[in-house]
Amino acid sequence: MLNPQNSLVNGTSPNEVDETVEVISIKHWTKNLFSFRLQRPKSFRFSSGEFVLLGLKDTSGKPILRAYSIASPSWDDTLLFYSIYVEDGPLTSMLSKIKKGDGVILKRKPTGTLVLNALRPGKKLFLFATGTGIAPFASLIRDPLIYENFADIVLIHTCRMKEDLAFGQLVLELRENDCLLEDLDIKRLRYFPTLTREKFVNEGRITDLISSGVFFREIGMSGFSCDSDRAMVCGSLDFNKEMKTLLLNAGLAEGSISEPGDFVLERAFVG
Ligand code: A2P
């Protein structure tokens, strides 16, 4: 008998079927940041860095769906997501209360531009995130391809408070036990966290630290090089806009999957 998950429904490919998947675990990092792990349907494929639509039904039974970057790598058996909790957010107010065993709707159509295929070959890769914008990079930094494609990687994360960095720091640690990364030099990834509302080793918005030259001084570079540097950006609309200006001014060209370039951007999704 045909497994309905693998059948073609009205010409829909197996990867486009919607379904309810089970919650494996949920972790609250701060009062407004949480992550959750879902079962991964066996035939669900995606590239590290992509996002999907997921959600829950409201009290009237209407599905409330939002885009979420997958924060686990494409080889993982489960699907990890990282979310902000918005007090009156129609989805996150429900999602932050999910428990192990609950069902979450997963729309099986992964997409997004924060994928390695959207970048031209290069030597150094900068991953710029603010807040929950770290999620697609949490996926990419556990993918062997990133270490095979780039000699040097810098993960930059700007948050308000120290506690907001914890999720990203855990993912950095998880890499140390990833079998697929065993033979690769994961130390080629440097981590550059900055905080804007608490005393810290690096203080201020990354955009300001780039403009003032502090960022380059700290990491031992003189500036961006359009010949060998590539970048991915994920944060608020304003952050993306400011980063785009900085990268364009440095001579880097924006890319897409259809036309790979020197940098790509995507908005961090908010519930
Ligand atoms: P700030 O504290 O100065 O607003 P949020 O929690 O609002 O999503 O922000 C996450 C982090 O991103 C904060 O540290 C915030 O700094 C920073 N941020 C917000 N907007 C920008 C921007 N346009 N450029 C650079 N950093 C930004």
Side-chain angles (χ1 to χ4, degrees), residues 8-246:
L8 288 178
V9 184
N10 298 330
T12 311
S13 86
N15 221 33
E16 290 178 28
V17 177
D18 307 344
E19 62 194 287
T20 300
V21 293
E22 202 177 304
V23 177
I24 299 171
S25 60
I26 176 159
K27 181 171 168 73
H28 292 269
W29 295 89
T30 68
K31 69 178 191 336
N32 53 15
L33 289 170
F34 63 101
S35 63
F36 51 99
R37 209 172 267 283
L38 302 182
Q39 271 185 357
R40 178 177 181 168
K42 282 201 165 52
S43 57
F44 174 65
R45 286 168 283 122
F46 69 97
S47 299
S48 299
E50 283 187 319
F51 66 86
V52 279
L53 282 178
L54 59 79
L56 293 169
K57 287 188 179 160
D58 67 11
T59 46
S60 68
K62 191 174 117 213
I64 311 287
L65 298 167
R66 296 286 183 272
Y68 268 90
S69 288
I70 303 170
S72 43
S74 62
W75 51 260
D76 204 330
D77 288 343
T78 61
L79 299 171
L80 178 67
F81 298 92
Y82 184 47
S83 182
I84 193 160
Y85 161 65
V86 184
E87 202 174 330
D88 299 317
L91 178 61
T92 61
S93 56
M94 296 192 288
L95 205 52
S96 60
K97 296 189 189 83
I98 52 170
K99 302 223 159 35
K100 181 173 168 6
D102 287 351
V104 169
I105 305 163
L106 174 76
K107 279 230 171 218
R108 288 226 228 159
K109 208 177 173 192
T111 183
T113 52
L114 299 179
V115 289
L116 293 174
N117 284 349
L119 292 176
R120 288 189 201 128
K123 289 204 180 87
K124 191 173 287 184
L125 176 64
F126 293 92
L127 304 172
F128 291 104
T130 59
T132 54
I134 189 87
F137 304 146
S139 168
L140 282 159
I141 64 171
R142 296 181 65 199
D143 191 318
L145 279 179
I146 208 168
Y147 302 94
E148 285 167 3
N149 288 8
F150 291 93
D152 203 358
I153 301 153
V154 191
L155 172 66
I156 302 100
H157 194 194
T158 298
C159 290
R160 296 181 182 197
M161 313 289 284
K162 215 177 280 176
E163 60 182 16
D164 304 337
L165 295 171
F167 172 80
Q169 290 172 342
L170 174 89
V171 172
L172 283 163
E173 277 172 32
L174 285 178
R175 297 175 313 144
E176 284 159 28
N177 295 315
D178 284 342
C179 302
L180 284 180
L181 303 182
E182 237 169 42
D183 299 330
L184 296 161
D185 180 11
I186 61 169
K187 293 209 171 63
R188 279 189 283 145
L189 184 150
R190 282 187 284 166
Y191 176 52
F192 190 88
T194 83
L195 293 185
T196 52
R197 310 216 183 168
E198 195 177 342
K199 283 256 158 256
F200 196 54
V201 52
N202 306 309
E203 286 179 25
R205 292 179 165 197
I206 186 62
T207 40
D208 294 336
L209 299 180
I210 291 171
S211 301
S212 64
V214 169
F215 171 64
F216 294 115
R217 200 169 62 232
E218 289 294 322
I219 64 163
M221 285 173 60
S222 55
F224 291 119
S225 146
C226 51
D227 290 337
S228 55
D229 292 350
R230 302 292 172 256
M232 290 184 169
V233 178
C234 190
S236 64
L237 272 184
D238 283 348
F239 172 66
N240 287 9
K241 224 189 294 173
E242 287 172 37
M243 281 305 307
K244 180 172 172 166
T245 305
L246 288 167

